[in-house]
Each structure stands twice: as C-alpha cells, then as structure tokens.
Amino acid sequence: MLALPAPSLVDILKEELSREFAALKSKADPAPYYMAYEVTEEQGESVSASFGALVNSGQQHARGLDTTIRVGSPEFDNYHPYKGSRGQFTSFAPLSLDDNTNQIRRAVWSESDRVYRLASRRFLQLKTDEQLLADEREHDADFSAEPPAVYSRLPETYKYEAGAWQDRARAWSAEFKKYPRILASSVVFRGQREIRTLVNTEGTAVQVGNNLFRIEINGTALASDGMDLGNFSTIEASDPAHLPSDAAVDARVREVAGKLDALVDAPPAEPMVCPAILSGRASAVFFHEIFGHRIEGHRQKDITEDQTFTKMLGQKVLPDFISVEFDPTRADYSGVDLIGHYEYDDEGVKARPVPVVEAGVLKTFLLARSPIGTFTHSNGHGRRQPSFEVVARQSNLIVESSKRVSEAELRARLIEEVKRQGKPYGLYFADVSSGFTTTGRQGTQAFKVIPLVVYRVYADGRPDELIRGVDIVGTPLASFQKILATSEKSSVFNGYCGAESGSIPVSAVSPAILVSEIETQKRQNRQEKPPLLPRPETE
Amino acid sequence: MSRPAIFYIAAGCALAGAVLAFDAGEDLRTDTQLRAMADELARSKTLQLNSLDKPYFVQYSTSDAEQVAIRASLGGLISSEQTRFRSPRVDIRVGDYKFDNTNSVFSRAVRIRAFPIDDDYLAIRTAFWLSTDSLYKIASDQITRKRNAVRELSDPDSTPDFALAKPIHMLRPIANYDLEQRRWEGILRELSGRFVGHPEIVTSAVAVRLISSTYRLVNTEGTAIRIPQDASELQIRATAMTPDGNRVWNHRFLTALRPSDLPSEPELQKAVDEVANETEALAKAPLADDYSGPVLFEQEAAPQLMAQVLTNAIALERKPIAPQESNPPRTIESVWSSRLGSKVTPDWISIWDDPSPQQFNGMTLVGTYEVDDEGVPAERVAIVDNGTLKDFLFSREPVRNFKSSNGHGRLPGSYGSEQAAFGNLFVHLSEAVPEATLKSKLLERVKASGLKFGLIVRSIDFPSTAGVDELQSLIRQAQKSGYIRSLNAPLLVYRAYPDGREELVRGLRFREFSAKDLRDVIAAADHPYVLNYVNNGSAINHADAGADATTSSVICPSLLFDTVDLARAESEPGKAPIVPLPTLSTLRSQPSALNEPALLRVAKIQRIPTHSQ
C-alpha cells in the first residue's frame, strides 16, 4: 500500500473551512461573512502531595475546537452587544489527538452546523430587538479589519520523569509537618504544553504555543478565635531550566508554612485608614485587579459595566510619574518568566506592546477585534480559555515609575507620612491573593484583593507587627491616585485570571508602592472551632 | 476541559479467578490503610463537643482505585487517561440506633476530597482525623435541628434510624493486574475506525472505562472488610440524521467485571457493525404513529424493562423528617409500597435477587458480591413468589415495619443513609414457550385485536445516552399527560405484520409504564437473557450522569405484553444541515507511536534537569 504523507492539522482545518464557508455563503441566509477555527491542544502532567504523601498524580491530554461564525456584516453581526450579552456560540468540541482526517473533518462540520444555527438565530433576534432600542446612540462596528497572518512556531517538548516529580512533591510537602497547627496543606506541580492552531477565512494560519510549569504551595490553619487563615505562593516558568533549585523551593515552602504558623498567633486587624506600602508582588496584584480589569475593551462598550475609565481617555488616571504598558511580546522580566507571553492572540492578531498609561494619562484600552469609539483596530489582546468567546483581556502588565527610591527610603517615607497624619501606625502588605493568584481554573474574582501577610509599621521604632484578618474596604482605586513614591526594583507576579472569557495565564510587574491612604477593616470571622482531638503524632 | 466522569464503585465484587478460601489468619494490622483507619476510628469514639452527644457509630470506608478511560472516534483517539485515586468516606452517627442525625432534610453525606494515594500511615490518619472532626460537628448540628423539627410534628415517624447488624471480618487478598491502557487504545482505534465504512452516520464513538479497585471498611461495631471490586464497560454510540432533519441515536453497552471478561475483539467488531447498520436503518425508517396493543419485548429489551420498572418498585423510600412549614421533599414512591402480601404479577412469575451465583448459562454475572458496602453479608431475597409480593431490598436503613438489612446497601443514598440496589435480579416465568413461538403468539393477539400489526421492541435506551433535548422532551410529555413513571425511549422498534414481515420504525415513546403493568404479561420465552450493566441507582440510569455507581445483572427472558401504550414523540421539525457531510477517506492516518502520547511536530526533546539538592 502506498503510504501518502498524512495532512497536517492546519491543512485539514483550512480545507474544511473553505468548504464550509463556500457552502454557507451560497446556501445560507443570513450568510456568514467570516469564519474561524481555533484548535487548542493541552498536554500535561500534574502531581500533588500533602504532608509528605502523594495525593494525586496524573497525565492529561486533550484537544478541542472553538468555532467562530459571523453573519451579517462587520458593522452589525451576531456578536453585537445587547443588554450586557455578547452571545455564546462556541463550545470546546473534542478532536482526535492524532491528525485523524475523518474525525476532525466530521467534528468541524458538526460544530460549524451547530454554531451557524446559534449565530443566525441571535442575529435575527437582534435585528428585531434593535428596532425596539429606540434611543440607541451611534454604535460601534462589531468587527474590525485586520491583516491576515501566517506563522508557525511550536513550543519545545519536555519529557517528564513522573517518579522524580512525585518524590519532590512528597519532600516539599513534608515541610508542613513541622508545623502541627497547620491543618491542611498541599504542594502541587503542574507541567503543561499548549498549542493553538488558528485558521480563518481572511487567510490567517497561525500555530503557536507555550510551555508552563507551575509549583503551587498552599496551607490553611485556624486562629484561636476561629478565624480561618491561609497562605499561598506559586512559582512559574516557561522553561524548566528556569525553575528554582529543589533547595530554593524547599525554602519557599518553609517560608509559606512559617508565615502561616506565625499568623495563628498574630493579633487581628482593627479598622484603620492610614498610609501603606504594598510590596512589588502585592502592587502587581493590585494593578491587575483594580486597574487592569477596568481597561479591558469590552467593558467600555457594556452599559451594565462600571465604566470608570471610559470617559477618561486623555485624562490623568494615575500620578504623572507612573506609566503602565501591556506587553505580550515580553517573555521575561529580569530573569523571571512572564506567563502572559504570546506571539499571536486568539483572533490571530499579532501581539505588540500597548502603552495604556503614559505619565499618568490614559491613552488607550486593551482591544480585541471589537472596535470602540475612535479605536477601530485590535491591539492584539483578544484572548480566551477554550470554550469561551474572545474578549479583550490582560497580558503582561508592566508598571514603570520615574519616582523610584531605595527600599529603605520608601520605608522612611512611610514612617514620615504616618507621623504627619498622626496615625498610630502604617501598614505593609507583603503578600496578597485574588482571583488572579488562586489555583483552580475558575473564579471570576475581578476587583477583589485578599491580603495574606500584612504588618503594622510603627512610627516609634517598635518592630513591625504581623496582623491577621485584614480586609480592604471599598475599591482602592482612589488609593492609586495617592501613590507617593515607588521602590527601585520591580517584582513579577504570575497567575491565572478568570473573567468573561474564562481563565487565562497573565502576569503583572510592579515596584513596591507607597500610598498615602488605604482603608482596611477586620475580616468577618466565621468562628470555626479547632479540632477537638489532638493531631495524630505517631502510631 | 472536563474530565470524564469517574465512577465510584460502592460495593459488589466477585472473587477474582479461582475460588479462594476465607483467609481467617490475615491480620488487619499488616494493611497500612486499614491499620490507620482502625487506629483513628478507635479515637473517634471519644469525640465530644461540650455537652452534646458522643458518636454512637463511626465508619470509615475507602475505594482505592485505578481507572483507565479511553475514547475514540473514526479511528482517532480523542482521550486516554489513566488515573490513580482514593475515594474515602466518613459516616458519623450521634444519638442512638432509634434516633440519630440521619433521615432528615438536614442530613447529607460529605465527601472528603484530597486524600493520600501513598500508603503513608500518618497522612491517612491525619486525613481521617480532620474529616471526622468536621463531620462530627456537622452531625451534632444535624441532630439538634432534627430534634427541633420533630418537636413541632404532631405524628413524627418513629421508625428506628439505623438497623442493627452483626459485625464481620472479611479480608480478601488484593489482586493487582494491568489495565493495559495502550492495548485498549489500539482496540478502540480499530473499532471506531469501522464507522468510516458508514458515511451516513453523523457522529460515532467507542469508549471504554476500566476500573480496578479495593474497598476497605472499618466501623465501631467491629466490622472490618477488604474486598476487590472491578468494573469494565465498553460503549458504542452512534447518531444519524433523518431526511426531515431529526436525529436518531443508537448504542450498545458491554459490561463485565474484569477487562478480560469483555467480549473478544471479533465479537466487539460484530457489535460495532451491528450498531452501525441499525443506526443507518433507523435514519431511513418511517415515523411511527401512536400505538396501543400487544408488544413483544425481545432479547435485552426484556431485562432492560425489568431493570427500569423494578429499580423503584423493590426499594422502599423513606420520607425524611422535615420542619413543619417546609415543602416535603419529593420522593418517587414504589408502586408496590402498599401491596405486600398481594398479587402484583401473574402467579407464574417469580422474582428474586441472589448475589451469590457468579455465572448464569455460561455468562459471567456482574451483580455478584459477598458483602454490601455497609459490611452486611449479601442475602438471597425472594421478592415476588408466584405472583405474590413478599419482600423488598434493604440496606441498614429501616423503613416502616422492616427493621433489618438484607445486605443490599450498595449505593450512597439520600439523607445520610445507604440506598438499596440490585445484585443479580432473576425474573423467572414457570410457563414459558420457545422464542419463536412468542412471535406467533404476538401475531395471534394482533389478529384477535383487529390491528394491522404488532410491535417488537428489541432495545430500550437503558442505560440511557439520551441528549438533553430528548430528556427535556420526555419530562414535558410526562407532565402534560400527568404521569411520573415511564420507560426510557425504545431504540429499536419493529412493526410485526401478520404475514411475518418486520419493518423498523422510529419516533415512539412509552406512555405511563410502571411495575403495575407487569400484570399484563401473557407469555414468556424459555431462554433467559442476561443484562449486565453499570447501575447508578436511578430508574433512568443515564450513562453520563457521573454519579456513584455499582454493577448489576438482570436475568429475564423475552416477554409478551397484552397491551402497552406508546405515543409518537413530540419533535420540532428539524432542519437538515446546510453544508453536506464531509466525505470520509479510507486512507489510514498514521497512528502515533504506541508508547508515547500523541504529539504534533516536535522541535526538541529534553530531560527536565534534575537539580542537585
């Protein structure tokens, strides 16, 4: 039998795409004007351990298809936002892991049929509804024009020694055993290779991908008054050579565990309005949650959103020594891998750096192929988790400051500000958590930041005092306008951000910041009772 | 991306391979998991919160499992996963056997999530320590709320909450065997690839779930159990499109305990080809009209019917205690609940459940087990004796006058109790005729009733793979007609004409149908058919429900019913797809190397550097 070279995934998709598009354009009413297929393949390993014992060890490999069909015209199509909805058409249809032509073509055909029906139904409904929207102002076009792209770069493949990683996870998680007051804990290692293959009817054919390695360290405990406490830390890399040594991870586990144990004895927070320093990591999370989400393009179009920044284009939104840029093209910052890095977004648009704030002034938003006002083109930030529809999302958020001082100087200024305001102390936020940092690819915790490790900084020379249960009151957006100075060095925070288009990897880079005012209160205490029997020690 | 549902086998097993003597000398202490569980259990009896009740009963159980789940379509592998997991459970009862924290709307089981898969004594004990602590606090809260609710009721149910049971020791050796993931990947690629020869079939898939697990249980009454549990299930699914744009669906389930008990490859190939041919025929079959008349349930349709109607009929539900002002929780009552001692079927029919035989007529049964998941030895239960209802299946949850278990507590139930489920259910008809005679009898009835044709049902959607639309339509149809019990859709229905001709039809659904309709059985074949299936305890038994499940067998011959009502399914006029089906190519694509996971073009392979300590 003659062995012919098997067609590649890109070939199969392109062929089926043109067949579908031609047939629908000639026979369907309403006819599509644009179609795209994006196949995401994820292959990974994960290992998790708790208190020295393995809890989970598995391999995952899956491949699926997301389908985009647009009917109508770029000015008005089935994705037109209406009453806070943009339509949900795609679902992650499973595809054969090997390039099996038959299965892939069938799955593509079946999905295209299903998505077409949903698209045409919504489009026809919108056309009727639109007539009822008597007072809709001039609306933006629904789809922008972008040049096609042809590109291919597959990520490296790494072989895993599952046994070695299981042993590491066991050893690292065993560190928690030294702290008997820690009730639950885990150390998880995940390694994942993702490949995205995108073709569309404009001629785009892009195949890109990333590797991501992540170590997650997690612990929970109970204070004597029943307040539940937690501490959490992650380590990310795109290249396993960039993961820290086993000893360094060990040290990090000890740090998380030790801090959590100390929190058990720490006094609870009181309500307080005072100056504060947010560490580089904490600031990064803040900027991501409080600022980053507010400049995602789709929020500016949505009448149900709090459009804080929509009308502030060209105005000062941050102090004039602060600039913010989103740059997906950066793979690392000062030797730390940035996991929000990509070359082409999920609409096949080439990534590029986007200066969002220059010298405090808001210049633009993060944009996908959904035009807003004077912004008629995407800036390469159309992103999604498989099975979701694309919207503009964050990539690598980088905060730059022209008012940088040393750590010591920053601290001195904090104390100066505390004295000036006549407060008993200021606060130092060493570590915080949010929907951005928590594990599990779920949770849309946009705008919410949970302090984990916070200290009181006294003006009278007393040593810093760890406190627990700090809750930030209201949105600290106002605090950001009260940034007084920043540190010299920046820190990187990598994590998974959950929002309308699902969970995606992002990063944020920021120096430590000094703010003149932040308002905090004591977190509500659920008053859990500690275990009645002592922890089992030995046989 | 969602993972395929992992099913948790609650109980039931066969002794694997040769019969092994009960190893009375096996010491519980040499099994690390059992030792850790027993040691922590001993402490748990001392738990006490303030002046509240101490626990009077604590039970720890785990399913220690390895699972392989593979899915393929048209020769391509969609997913293949091998997972190792342990699924632990803690049951705590406070109060006493007469009145405890269960059987109220406040009672619910709590699953422990993260649990060590290493045999690490301390880690296992710690996990049970924490779960016991939080469940004890929950149980104390539950019983307080229950007491408050009872105080307000004028006539509360005084049935005891927990039946007494004798403690037993049963420690079987664990047999480890390879689930042969790679081999099954190859088999599924080949089997699913056979659909390439059937281009009219729109979607198709072949999937397998192989699970090998060990069930361990210890409780404060002194019971200690360790038994192997296996389940292997192969599914063949296909759908096609009718000319009027509707979907037809068809499937075949092959269920065994060990993978080696599944049919041979040639038999599997034959099954795939049959499903494919049937599905193609269904797509071309005419729509049937409403029908009321004699129906012959042939081959597997008969035990499928029995499994459905008897699932609810032979397990009594208990109403949980609820506060005065609340809405009573809905339970589907057994249609036989008040018929004990009465005739429920013709007197030539007997029904019993017997978990002890391992085989029937050369076929391995899957509902065989020695001890249920509460540690109660399995019993043979005579349910219907020559037409008279004698008994039901019970777990340790007392219901009405039934105060003890008959060893059928096989699935987690509601409100903190265990649910009764079949082991091997036998339906025996003492008046039986050869299979061929049954069809003549059908045609006789057809003529006598003045009908143009009768119906033969050869397969019912059980377990069910009905889509969401179909399930919603079933519910709507039932609500409109005012009944709550029916059968799942018949998949293969044939009109049988007086001249012997048969014609496949589609689009029928059963109307109301329950165990009461067993009175209408007028004849049976002499050769029983064995149905082995994965049982999740519900009458519908949807295959994708992702619930806890066990394995059951129903042994029943073809049955002729005097009158059964079927109606044409309500269906929206479908639209045929605008784009024609892509042609299927018979050129085999290269399967990926068998011992590496499939990868696209690879740039470089590196070892992850091992860092020095």
Side-chain angles (χ1 to χ4, degrees):
Chain A
M1 187 179 88
L2 194 65
L4 295 169
S8 71
L9 178 64
V10 175
D11 295 336
I12 300 169
L13 290 176
K14 272 180 166 172
E15 197 191 311
E16 191 56 25
L17 178 69
S18 72
R19 193 182 77 94
E20 291 280 338
F21 194 47
L24 284 171
K25 267 202 303 193
S26 71
K27 295 189 225 165
D29 180 24
Y33 71 89
Y34 171 89
M35 284 179 64
Y37 296 136
E38 183 178 24
V39 173
T40 308
E41 175 170 352
E42 284 182 11
Q43 193 175 352
E45 305 256 345
S46 59
V47 164
S48 87
S50 175
F51 293 119
L54 202 64
V55 171
N56 215 291
S57 180
Q59 290 178 315
Q60 299 84 37
H61 192 186
R63 203 196 233 186
L65 168 75
D66 279 301
T67 306
T68 304
I69 299 183
R70 290 182 174 258
V71 300
S73 72
E75 281 68 46
F76 187 91
D77 69 21
N78 49 298
Y79 280 86
H80 187 82
Y82 182 50
K83 289 188 179 157
S85 160
R86 263 173 302 272
Q88 170 69 37
F89 309 99
T90 186
S91 76
F92 193 58
L95 285 189
S96 156
L97 298 174
D98 28 46
D99 292 345
N100 178 291
T101 317
N102 288 328
Q103 195 280 332
I104 293 173
R105 290 180 73 198
R106 272 300 163 97
V108 168
W109 168 84
S110 178
E111 267 302 282
S112 302
D113 181 67
R114 189 190 66 78
V115 170
Y116 172 75
R117 283 180 206 290
L118 289 176
S120 72
R121 191 186 309 161
R122 186 168 193 264
F123 180 69
L124 294 168
Q125 279 169 356
L126 281 173
K127 283 179 72 176
T128 341
D129 284 341
E130 278 296 324
Q131 283 160 16
L132 302 173
L133 271 183
D135 65 338
E136 203 197 50
R137 52 179 167 75
E138 268 290 316
H139 67 79
D140 302 308
D142 287 329
F143 200 48
S144 68
E146 307 295 338
V150 175
Y151 181 81
S152 175
R153 188 197 62 81
L154 291 175
E156 310 281 3
T157 305
Y158 297 98
K159 280 180 93 165
Y160 296 86
E161 293 169 23
W165 282 101
Q166 287 172 359
D167 288 337
R168 283 190 183 96
R170 282 187 185 103
W172 290 330
S173 68
E175 287 292 335
F176 278 100
K177 288 208 282 196
K178 298 179 183 150
Y179 300 91
R181 295 188 301 181
I182 293 179
L183 295 177
S185 69
S186 66
V187 174
V188 181
F189 166 75
R190 291 182 218 279
Q192 185 171 275
R193 179 172 183 255
E194 182 187 84
I195 301 168
R196 289 187 291 118
T197 306
L198 184 99
V199 299
N200 72 22
T201 46
E202 294 166 346
T204 290
V206 164
Q207 197 164 45
V208 287
N210 279 318
N211 277 294
L212 175 57
F213 302 91
R214 196 177 206 221
I215 300 171
E216 299 158 7
I217 304 158
N218 188 23
T220 59
L222 269 184
S224 53
D225 62 1
M227 182 187 283
D228 53 290
L229 304 164
N231 201 6
F232 183 79
S233 181
T234 64
I235 298 165
E236 288 87 4
S238 313
D239 181 336
H242 298 165
L243 285 170
S245 67
D246 288 356
V249 177
D250 223 39
R252 180 77 73 91
V253 176
R254 278 200 300 275
E255 191 190 304
V256 171
K259 208 37 64 72
L260 180 59
D261 190 63
L263 277 170
V264 174
D265 297 319
E270 300 158 351
M272 174 60 68
V273 179
C274 64
I277 291 178
L278 279 66
S279 72
R281 276 180 6 201
S283 304
V285 174
F286 265 84
F287 270 102
H288 169 95
E289 290 295 350
I290 309 307
F291 176 78
H293 278 297
R294 289 196 161 87
I295 47 108
E296 287 162 346
H298 58 285
R299 294 188 202 278
Q300 321 309 324
K301 278 170 110 158
D302 195 337
I303 52 166
T304 64
E305 284 281 345
D306 149 38
Q307 296 170 304
T308 320
F309 287 146
T310 313
K311 298 177 182 64
M312 297 192 73
L313 268 177
Q315 299 178 34
K316 225 159 79 90
V317 296
L318 289 171
D320 54 22
F321 56 89
I322 303 270
S323 298
V324 180
E325 181 181 76
F326 283 85
D327 191 358
T329 66
R330 280 193 83 145
D332 63 80
Y333 187 98
S334 290
V336 180
D337 290 341
L338 298 178
I339 69 171
H341 161 66
Y342 56 87
E343 296 173 280
Y344 284 83
D345 75 4
D346 286 293
E347 294 182 307
V349 177
K350 196 166 185 332
R352 80 241 17 206
V354 177
V356 170
V357 171
E358 281 173 359
V361 175
L362 183 66
K363 291 296 193 187
T364 183
F365 303 109
L366 297 176
L367 300 160
R369 289 185 70 167
S370 182
I372 308 162
T374 53
F375 301 108
T376 52
H377 288 285
S378 162
N379 57 26
H381 278 82
R383 306 186 66 193
R384 58 137 158 240
Q385 180 185 0
S387 84
F388 290 83
E389 296 292 342
V390 172
V391 293
R393 299 286 299 277
Q394 301 181 57
S395 56
N396 297 322
L397 185 162
I398 299 168
V399 178
E400 291 294 354
S401 162
S402 58
K403 215 184 208 181
R404 294 190 186 251
V405 302
S406 69
E407 303 258 336
E409 172 67 23
L410 201 67
R411 198 186 147 86
R413 290 203 195 184
L414 170 68
I415 290 171
E416 201 180 290
E417 189 63 22
V418 166
K419 285 182 182 151
R420 198 184 65 77
Q421 291 183 22
K423 303 285 179 179
Y425 52 77
L427 291 174
Y428 172 60
F429 291 81
D431 241 322
V432 303
S433 161
S434 70
F436 165 32
T437 62
T438 51
T439 46
R441 309 188 76 182
Q442 24 171 275
T444 50
Q445 284 273 310
F447 309 109
K448 177 109 171 99
V449 177
I450 304 156
L452 290 178
V453 180
V454 186
Y455 296 86
R456 287 180 187 143
V457 177
Y458 291 97
D460 61 8
R462 259 186 278 173
D464 292 353
E465 182 181 31
L466 182 68
I467 55 173
R468 61 178 164 91
V470 179
D471 216 14
I472 293 167
V473 173
T475 62
L477 197 56
S479 304
F480 274 51
Q481 270 115 29
K482 299 170 184 157
I483 299 174
L484 299 176
T486 72
S487 68
E488 279 167 340
K489 278 181 56 180
S490 288
S491 297
V492 173
F493 211 118
N494 283 310
Y496 277 87
C497 171
E500 289 85 342
S501 62
S503 181
I504 53 166
V506 296
S507 78
V509 180
S510 173
I513 61 176
L514 167 64
V515 295
S516 62
E517 188 177 290
I518 201 160
E519 190 179 349
T520 61
Q521 68 187 12
K522 181 182 167 187
R523 176 154 48 98
Q524 246 197 339
N525 182 359
R526 284 186 306 167
Q527 294 177 315
E528 313 244 1
K529 293 193 180 63
L532 296 164
L533 295 174
R535 165 185 289 274
E537 294 285 315
T538 46
E539 295 215 26
Chain B
M1 278 150 284
S2 63
R3 308 187 65 217
I6 294 173
F7 52 59
Y8 159 56
I9 303 296
C13 76
L15 293 176
V19 174
L20 297 154
F22 173 27
D23 196 352
E26 170 85 53
D27 189 9
L28 184 152
R29 311 282 319 157
T30 61
D31 182 311
T32 310
Q33 284 186 69
L34 282 175
R35 195 167 81 248
M37 286 158 72
D39 289 349
E40 193 54 32
L41 193 75
R43 273 212 308 176
S44 67
K45 283 188 279 202
T46 66
L47 277 169
Q48 185 157 34
L49 185 61
N50 306 325
S51 58
L52 297 174
D53 314 65
K54 280 196 175 120
Y56 78 92
F57 175 84
V58 183
Q59 181 167 285
Y60 296 158
S61 56
T62 68
S63 262
D64 186 2
E66 176 130 23
Q67 178 180 269
V68 162
I70 305 170
R71 196 154 165 263
S73 175
L74 292 173
L77 202 63
I78 307 279
S79 60
S80 177
E81 289 185 5
Q82 177 141 12
T83 336
R84 178 84 209 291
F85 64 97
R86 280 188 183 162
S87 192
R89 188 173 137 182
V90 174
D91 288 280
I92 298 193
R93 293 174 181 257
V94 294
D96 57 45
Y97 289 89
K98 290 221 186 64
F99 186 91
D100 69 23
N101 54 300
T102 66
N103 296 316
S104 81
V105 293
F106 313 108
S107 323
R108 50 180 180 96
V110 177
R111 251 314 136 71
I112 307 167
R113 266 173 294 155
F115 191 79
I117 54 178
D118 280 342
D119 277 348
D120 180 323
Y121 173 89
L122 212 48
I124 293 172
R125 255 193 90 167
T126 304
F128 276 110
W129 163 65
L130 279 174
S131 306
T132 308
D133 184 84
S134 63
L135 279 166
Y136 167 65
K137 288 161 178 163
I138 291 171
S140 304
D141 180 59
Q142 288 170 348
I143 198 173
T144 307
R145 289 175 194 257
K146 189 181 174 188
R147 282 192 179 118
N148 291 338
V150 163
R151 237 173 260 138
E152 294 163 20
L153 295 172
S154 51
D155 186 20
D157 184 3
S158 61
T159 315
D161 277 322
F162 202 40
L164 295 163
K166 268 177 52 172
I168 69 161
H169 259 229
M170 186 181 292
L171 297 179
R172 297 283 178 239
I174 307 159
N176 286 317
Y177 59 93
D178 186 4
L179 290 172
E180 298 184 297
Q181 182 182 13
R182 299 287 169 240
R183 182 174 154 256
W184 281 101
E185 284 175 0
I187 294 173
L188 287 197
R189 275 202 182 93
E190 198 277 323
L191 289 176
S192 67
R194 299 177 84 81
F195 281 100
V196 172
H198 298 264
E200 294 305 309
I201 289 180
V202 172
T203 70
S204 62
V206 182
V208 83
R209 270 192 302 191
L210 308 169
I211 183 161
S212 159
S213 91
T214 305
Y215 184 70
R216 288 176 173 82
L217 179 148
V218 287
N219 68 31
T220 46
E221 290 167 340
T223 291
I225 308 269
R226 183 183 63 205
I227 48 174
Q229 296 172 349
D230 304 305
S232 306
E233 187 194 51
L234 190 136
Q235 300 182 13
I236 304 163
R237 302 197 198 190
T239 70
M241 198 83 73
T242 63
D244 57 6
N246 282 306
R247 282 271 177 132
V248 293
W249 86 97
N250 191 16
H251 64 225
R252 193 74 62 87
F253 285 85
L254 298 121
T255 308
L257 291 176
R258 289 262 174 125
S260 49
D261 296 330
L262 283 171
S264 66
E265 277 183 64
E267 288 172 305
L268 292 174
Q269 288 165 350
K270 183 156 163 283
V272 169
D273 294 340
E274 282 171 5
V275 171
N277 292 330
E278 288 161 4
T279 312
E280 277 178 340
L282 268 175
K284 301 189 185 92
L287 268 175
D289 290 311
D290 295 2
Y291 176 90
S292 179
V295 177
L296 171 59
F297 291 87
E298 240 187 29
Q299 298 291 292
E300 66 171 1
Q304 284 171 333
L305 178 153
M306 282 298 176
Q308 280 216 271
V309 301
L310 294 178
T311 295
N312 287 332
I314 66 179
L316 289 179
E317 283 268 328
R318 180 173 166 158
K319 285 204 175 51
I321 300 276
Q324 185 74 353
E325 67 284 357
S326 69
N327 287 324
R330 287 189 320 157
T331 49
I332 298 189
E333 274 256 39
S334 156
V335 294
W336 285 350
S337 63
S338 50
R339 313 285 334 272
L340 196 68
S342 313
K343 272 256 181 314
V344 289
T345 70
D347 53 20
W348 41 277
I349 298 182
S350 294
I351 303 172
W352 67 90
D353 189 299
D354 190 357
S356 99
Q358 295 174 258
Q359 304 227 320
F360 182 84
N361 281 0
M363 269 207 72
T364 308
L365 299 175
V366 302
T368 311
Y369 63 97
E370 294 184 279
V371 65
D372 73 6
D373 77 340
E374 296 185 294
V376 178
E379 286 176 27
R380 182 189 188 283
V381 181
I383 298 162
V384 172
D385 194 30
N386 294 323
T388 305
L389 181 64
K390 292 287 198 196
D391 208 345
F392 298 88
L393 298 183
F394 294 105
S395 67
R396 289 185 70 174
E397 182 193 32
V399 186
R400 303 213 211 127
N401 303 324
F402 296 94
K403 301 281 196 314
S404 56
S405 167
N406 50 26
H408 277 77
R410 306 187 72 209
L411 285 168
S414 337
Y415 312 116
S417 300
E418 202 69 7
Q419 179 187 338
F422 307 152
N424 299 318
L425 188 75
F426 291 86
V427 181
H428 178 77
L429 300 102
S430 55
E431 291 172 22
V433 299
E435 196 85 40
T437 317
L438 217 51
K439 185 169 169 186
S440 331
K441 277 192 178 282
L442 167 70
L443 295 175
E444 267 167 42
R445 301 293 307 169
V446 165
K447 239 170 61 176
S449 326
L451 293 167
K452 292 211 187 70
F453 52 77
L455 289 185
I456 302 177
V457 177
R458 294 206 165 101
S459 165
I460 300 176
D461 181 38
F462 183 92
S464 172
T465 56
V468 166
D469 293 341
E470 162 69 22
L471 291 171
Q472 286 173 343
S473 157
L474 266 177
I475 295 171
R476 268 198 307 271
Q477 205 157 2
Q479 282 172 346
K480 257 197 319 204
S481 316
Y483 56 80
I484 53 171
R485 284 177 209 82
S486 183
L487 293 177
N488 293 347
L491 292 180
L492 297 172
V493 185
Y494 299 81
R495 282 183 187 141
Y497 292 93
D499 63 3
R501 198 172 38 105
E502 285 182 13
E503 180 188 28
L504 179 67
V505 293
R506 65 175 170 96
L508 281 176
R509 303 285 178 269
F510 290 100
R511 287 198 196 273
E512 178 159 26
F513 200 101
S514 72
K516 285 197 272 206
D517 294 283
L518 293 178
R519 292 183 293 225
D520 287 344
V521 178
I522 52 175
D526 57 5
H527 193 81
Y529 189 94
V530 175
L531 173 73
N532 290 334
Y533 68 103
V534 172
N535 179 3
N536 68 23
S538 86
I540 294 175
N541 209 40
H542 201 282
D544 302 329
D548 297 317
T550 184
T551 49
S552 299
S553 297
V554 177
I555 301 102
C556 177
S558 303
L559 300 169
L560 177 62
F561 280 73
D562 185 46
T563 314
V564 178
D565 297 318
L566 294 104
R568 181 191 277 209
E570 53 156 64
S571 63
E572 284 175 22
K575 288 197 200 94
I578 297 166
V579 181
L581 276 168
T583 53
L584 294 172
S585 95
T586 47
L587 280 172
R588 294 285 183 86
S589 63
Q590 283 294 102
S592 55
L594 283 183
N595 48 9
E596 301 283 3
L599 294 171
L600 292 180
R601 267 149 235 157
V602 159
K604 192 160 61 164
I605 297 183
Q606 274 181 1
R607 294 206 167 266
I608 294 179
T610 44
H611 302 277
S612 50
Q613 291 295 102

